[in-house]
Amino acid sequence: MLRILLLLVCSLLIGIKCNYFGDLFKCNDELLKCQESEVRLGKFNEITDGYNGNCSREIGAKWSNITSCELEAIICLINQMKGLKVNCENIADVMHL
């Protein structure tokens, strides 16, 4: 729950700085909708396992495993920011790890 709150706060700060409010709300809606199905689908999958394994090696002890819904929301946010790639460093920056 704390991660979600941090993601929303981070998203709001990014939105204030870059005027992405409409897009941020879209990403937040995606996160909430995804979390409704987490019980049925699970919090992790092969993609998140790959990111978590790779990013924990790349970022180190500061990395905190992310769920598939968090990854989906982060990718949404990163895609709203022109020129950013979806990589461990940018995910960590968005999550403030």
Side-chain angles (χ1 to χ4, degrees), residues 6-50:
L6 289 174
L7 177 62
L8 295 176
V9 169
C10 173
S11 300
L12 183 58
L13 292 175
I14 292 168
I16 290 169
K17 197 172 187 179
C18 304
N19 294 322
Y20 288 128
F21 285 115
D23 297 331
L24 293 176
F25 290 126
K26 174 187 155 203
C27 296
N28 187 54
D29 288 345
E30 283 184 24
L31 174 67
L32 296 174
K33 185 175 181 175
C34 179
Q35 287 175 328
E36 291 174 2
S37 62
E38 262 185 351
V39 173
R40 185 173 40 86
L41 299 176
K43 289 188 174 197
F44 302 96
N45 58 32
E46 290 178 10
I47 295 169
T48 55
D49 291 345

Side-chain angles (χ1 to χ4, degrees), residues 30-87:
E30 283 184 24
L31 174 67
L32 296 174
K33 185 175 181 175
C34 179
Q35 287 175 328
E36 291 174 2
S37 62
E38 262 185 351
V39 173
R40 185 173 40 86
L41 299 176
K43 289 188 174 197
F44 302 96
N45 58 32
E46 290 178 10
I47 295 169
T48 55
D49 291 345
Y51 269 103
N52 287 325
N54 184 50
C55 294
S56 66
R57 286 187 294 279
E58 186 177 318
I59 302 296
K62 289 173 54 175
W63 180 260
S64 180
N65 287 345
I66 57 175
T67 68
S68 57
C69 291
E70 290 168 336
L71 180 60
E72 183 179 314
I74 292 166
I75 289 172
C76 178
L77 289 171
I78 289 174
N79 286 334
Q80 303 306 316
M81 298 173 226
K82 307 289 188 247
L84 289 183
K85 294 181 180 179
V86 178
N87 59 34

